Amino acid sequence: IACALKPKLLIGDEPTTALDVVLQAQILDLLRHLVAESRMGLLLISHDLAVVTEMADRITILRHGEVMEAGDTARTLSGQLHPYTRQLAQASMHVPARAKPHLVGTDQPLLQVEGITRDYPGRRTSLFRRAPAIRAVDDVSLSMAPGQSVALVGRSGCGKSTLARMILALDRPSSGAIRFRGEAITGKSEAELKPARRDMQVVFQDPYGSFDPRQKVEKLVAEPL
Ligand SMILES: Nc1ncnc2c1ncn2[C@@H]1O[C@H](COP(=O)(O)OP(=O)(O)OP(=O)(O)O)[C@@H](O)[C@H]1O
Ligand SMILES: [Mg+2]
């Protein structure tokens, strides 16, 4: 459904995690086709490295809201320079090779994320006391050209969905700037955001297919029962 409107940028937050493998392959095929043929930009949020290797030209690895490593997907995952990248790669079963990346023209970037930080106030522990603030996203920068796909990877709670919400202007960063087709998203009114909204689509994370790090394991397990 998100693709029917022919968006310029599609943000997929674990779009296929809850699906069976056949359906997953079909959806990934469709997304690949849209990136190649319609020069759509794809920001793919996932913790499935197999999917990511198959799909993304470039990869950004997050941990506790911070960028650990970023670059060409194949080189980053085969080089495994950063210990955290190695840990993620070893934890995933297999990493298939990917066909050659999409050619990127010299057009202006589709999406620019510049030094984005998001702090959430800590939980109130008593009338006058609060737990320290949570830094969900810590100084993250990335950029994407039209017709390119970029993967955002990291363990649960590392800030992937929070960053996606800020790109969609559903949440405001504490600091930093986000530009879509060269125009700032941050600090705009709803009316000013309309044209950008039309050209951005999102597949939200399936709340049942993924675990919310803020919930107790007991509740997560009990929910579908
Ligand atoms: N509205 C909020 N208020 C307070 N803390 C929040 C809020 N939203 C997210 N957080 C915290 O920010 C951090 C990042 O959460 P986020 O949902 O972005 O992670 P994620 O990488 O998408 O994880 P997952 O892979 O499980 O989807 C977590 O520690 C989370 O508890
Ligand atoms: Mg998430």
Side-chain angles (χ1 to χ4, degrees):
I1 296 168
C3 298
L5 298 161
K6 290 227 174 325
K8 300 283 188 301
L9 171 64
L10 181 69
I11 299 180
D13 195 347
E14 308 277 5
T16 59
T17 304
L19 305 175
D20 69 70
V21 283
V22 176
L23 201 52
Q24 170 166 328
Q26 282 171 351
I27 302 248
L28 294 178
D29 261 347
L30 171 69
L31 290 179
R32 239 189 321 250
H33 180 80
L34 284 170
V35 171
E37 305 296 316
S38 326
R39 295 191 59 71
M40 181 183 80
L42 173 66
L43 181 66
L44 179 65
I45 299 176
S46 181
H47 48 241
D48 187 336
L49 283 188
V51 166
V52 161
T53 332
E54 214 181 304
M55 297 291 294
D57 305 310
R58 288 192 307 121
I59 187 170
T60 294
I61 296 172
L62 279 191
R63 184 193 185 198
H64 301 320
E66 273 183 277
V67 175
M68 291 290 112
E69 210 177 343
D72 175 84
T73 305
R75 224 171 303 145
T76 305
L77 291 180
S78 60
Q80 301 180 14
L81 292 180
H82 197 284
Y84 186 64
T85 307
R86 208 171 311 139
Q87 204 186 331
L88 278 179
Q90 277 165 4
S92 92
M93 304 276 271
H94 74 139
V95 178
R98 182 181 188 279
K100 68 176 187 328
H102 299 109
L103 289 174
V104 174
T106 48
D107 343 359
Q108 73 159 341
L110 182 65
L111 177 70
Q112 292 156 283
V113 172
E114 293 159 0
I116 288 293
T117 294
R118 179 66 166 106
D119 291 322
Y120 287 113
R123 243 179 234 167
R124 196 181 284 283
T125 50
S126 75
L127 192 53
F128 305 107
R129 241 183 288 230
R130 265 184 188 286
I134 299 168
R135 178 152 291 184
V137 174
D138 192 355
D139 194 20
V140 170
S141 302
L142 59 90
S143 81
M144 185 195 298
Q148 203 179 29
S149 45
V150 175
L152 196 56
V153 172
R155 295 182 55 191
S156 201
C158 71
K160 305 183 294 292
S161 296
T162 303
L163 186 63
R165 278 199 302 279
M166 290 189 286
I167 295 171
L168 291 159
L170 300 174
D171 190 6
R172 279 169 197 276
S174 310
S175 65
I178 296 170
R179 263 180 269 279
F180 181 57
R181 293 183 296 208
E183 267 196 72
I185 296 273
T186 24
K188 281 212 166 157
S189 69
E190 282 300 310
E192 291 170 312
L193 283 171
K194 258 202 175 146
R197 281 261 161 82
R198 207 174 31 232
D199 286 334
M200 268 194 234
Q201 290 296 324
V202 61
V203 179
F204 282 110
Q205 190 167 10
D206 172 1
Y208 298 105
S210 60
F211 287 152
D212 181 342
R214 274 171 292 161
Q215 303 231 325
K216 290 222 174 77
V217 171
E218 187 192 318
K219 192 164 170 230
L220 289 167
V221 175
E223 205 163 26
L225 300 180

